[in-house]
Amino acid sequence: MKLQDAGNFTENIHLVDYLSEYYQKQTGADSLISDYGRPRESLDGGWQFGVDQYDNCLRSRWYDEVHTDEDGRPYPVDFSFDDWETIPVPSCWNLLRERYFLYEGSCVYTRTFTFDPVFGKPGERVFLRFGAANSSAKVFLNKQYIGMHTGGYTPFYFEVGELLEAQNRLLVVVNNTRERTGVPCENTDWFNYGGIHREVALLRLPETFIRDFFISLVPDGTYSRIQASVRVDGKEQNGAAVLNIPAMDIRVEIPIRDGRGEIVFTAAPRLWSPETPHLYDMTVSYGEDILTERAGFREIAARDGGIYLNGNEIFLRGVSTHEESVANGNAVTVPEIRENFALAREMGCNYMRLAHYPHHENAARIADEVGLMLWEEIPVYWAIAFDNDDTYKNAENQLSELILRDRNRASVVIWSVGNENADTDERLSFMSRLVQKARDLDSTRLISAACMVDLKALKIDDRLESYLDVIGINEYFGWYEPDFSKLPRIFENSRPDKPVVISEFGADAKAGVRGAPGRLYTEANQLAVYEKQLETLSGIPYVKGLSPWILYDFRCPRRLHALQNYYNIKGLLSADKRYKKPAFEAMRKFYAAHCLNREYIEAQNDNIKQ
Ligand code: GCB
């Protein structure tokens, strides 16, 4: 007998598989909209919030807001949305109350809002945009389930025009349970902040609108041709879009057929580089829709073992960073992003690794503006379930969402498809497919992954390398591998035919704890590891960049040593970024002395003078 046929079957307490119906309706990369500069009606601010450890909202369908039985008699419910506490969105719940700090599971967010159709034009379409919610969100509007999104760090959208009324209730069940088959999986080296940690807004668009706009130099080494593509959504599938770049006196028509159009035209943009981060304001219009964009033009290439920006060989003087602050967790603010970038610049960086998941879209926008090259990454981290089809789909979707969101950012030079994954057949198949997907979506950037060395053969030898443009290597000689002498041997044993960037090296140091080199967790020991690393790495001709681990200490539930106190303390700065450990200065000196590509800088200076 089926469970449901039992005479006393009561759905909210007996139905074990209450979730699968929600999984039938998922939103993903196809929902993304190019929306820079588009007016938004913000839904940020105070939301009512309830911690729902046993998923009672989904089991008992609170979103139906039924308060009476069929005969109108009051019916007991376990919620009273309007009396719940109010919390700010965006934020992560862990930092709002001490008792939420280690909570992982479901939380219910709800708010009401008014909508005024009068502002809009007849036929307008309305979309609900979430910047990100970690790690899944099930969304309900006016008692209707509108879909769910999986993946905690990328934006997602729902078309909601038909459901909107003058008064509306939005309800979102966010769940940050770590899962074996998730991306990331259950085991990571960072704090699993939960919540709607990026902005929420409504967008009003015309009936036919520009869903996607992609612009770049044609990567042919001439710096004289621009390619642009447009995808429109709506009834008017044929026509012409118009691209205007006033500072270059460019106005071109892009013919649109069956919703898509592409064009290549000659142009002579001032090239974007960290030293000269030129950006161009532009508009694309189609019918009633006008989209603004601000983008730079540059060419990044890897050839003959080198990395080239606009034809000049470069060294990636970088540092890795998480997206986190002590006060706000991963709901970082614009001033916090700017502060991180300013600190990296102070260290002499021209490049940063945004680990280990897509950071806020503001990061790449700001990097465009201040002149920092970026490595962007998806959380295919450690022991992902590489043999699981749904895990692959989730990873591919997050990669697509990241690329579609950021592929107009000149600052982004590398897409990374993962970090420190064991070289198994399943992983090779999974990650080589991701590499192909990244290439299909964007042929103007380099593809990499943070690989590990083969500790048995003492060699750089990971089968994924043959698919990559740049080989990322994480190595912790002097720390997890105390026998430092293995590192030079690894380099002697390796003949990579592609540029290598050391995507991580480092050592723990408790800020302010001095002591002698050799004493673990002291600043002196961290400094000694950095000095040895830099001495060794600077002598390896195929090493074309560094992003030591990490700019500042970050929360990490795996770190239980008394000096760590639940932080990963490999930062060059303390967690509050106020204190510089001595290794920061060592990096600054190293970048100032060894790795500046002087010819390149002179060329750029000439460029400015002209
Ligand atoms: C790594 C990981 C990074 C960790 C770091 C560490 O190799 O890629 O996520 O935080 O090591 O400190 O152990």
Side-chain angles (χ1 to χ4, degrees), residues 188-190 322 353 355-356 377 381-382 419-420 450 452 474-476 479-480 503-508 549-550 554 556 558-559 564 568-570:
T188 69
D189 198 50
W190 69 86
H322 266 292
R353 175 181 179 202
H356 277 301
E377 178 169 340
Y381 184 89
W382 289 351
N419 182 81
E420 291 187 351
M452 299 162 92
N474 291 358
E475 51 86 4
Y476 280 91
W479 185 248
Y480 295 123
S503 32
E504 288 181 29
F505 68 88
D508 283 36
W549 194 254
I550 183 168
F554 58 96
C556 186
R558 296 173 71 245
R559 306 294 178 173
Q564 294 171 324
N568 182 313
I569 55 172
K570 292 191 186 66

Side-chain angles (χ1 to χ4, degrees), residues 358-478:
H359 291 205
H360 196 293
E361 63 270 14
N362 284 334
R365 292 260 168 209
I366 296 168
D368 264 12
E369 184 197 302
V370 302
L372 273 168
M373 291 177 282
L374 297 179
W375 155 308
E376 293 199 330
E377 178 169 340
I378 52 165
V380 172
Y381 184 89
W382 289 351
I384 292 282
F386 288 113
D387 55 356
N388 183 302
D389 231 31
D390 288 338
T391 306
Y392 179 78
K393 284 188 198 127
N394 180 357
E396 187 187 278
N397 184 57
Q398 293 191 48
L399 178 69
S400 306
E401 288 173 340
L402 170 64
I403 294 178
L404 291 174
R405 192 194 72 178
D406 282 1
R407 65 184 175 169
N408 284 343
R409 303 283 66 76
S411 52
V412 179
V413 292
I414 296 177
W415 303 124
S416 168
V417 295
N419 182 81
E420 291 187 351
N421 319 96
D423 187 4
T424 61
D425 293 349
E426 293 75 19
R427 175 272 197 159
L428 186 63
S429 145
F430 187 111
M431 289 179 68
S432 58
R433 282 166 77 195
L434 290 180
V435 171
Q436 192 50 50
K437 183 69 189 180
R439 292 198 197 289
D440 291 347
L441 288 171
D442 179 12
S443 59
T444 71
R445 287 181 178 77
L446 308 177
I447 317 282
S448 191
C451 302
M452 299 162 92
V453 295
D454 183 333
L455 281 172
K456 295 195 182 100
L458 287 186
K459 236 177 138 181
I460 298 177
D461 187 13
D462 180 321
R463 287 179 293 166
L464 187 65
E465 286 160 14
S466 64
Y467 295 88
L468 305 175
D469 300 311
V470 171
I471 303 169
I473 293 290
N474 291 358
E475 51 86 4
Y476 280 91
F477 291 92

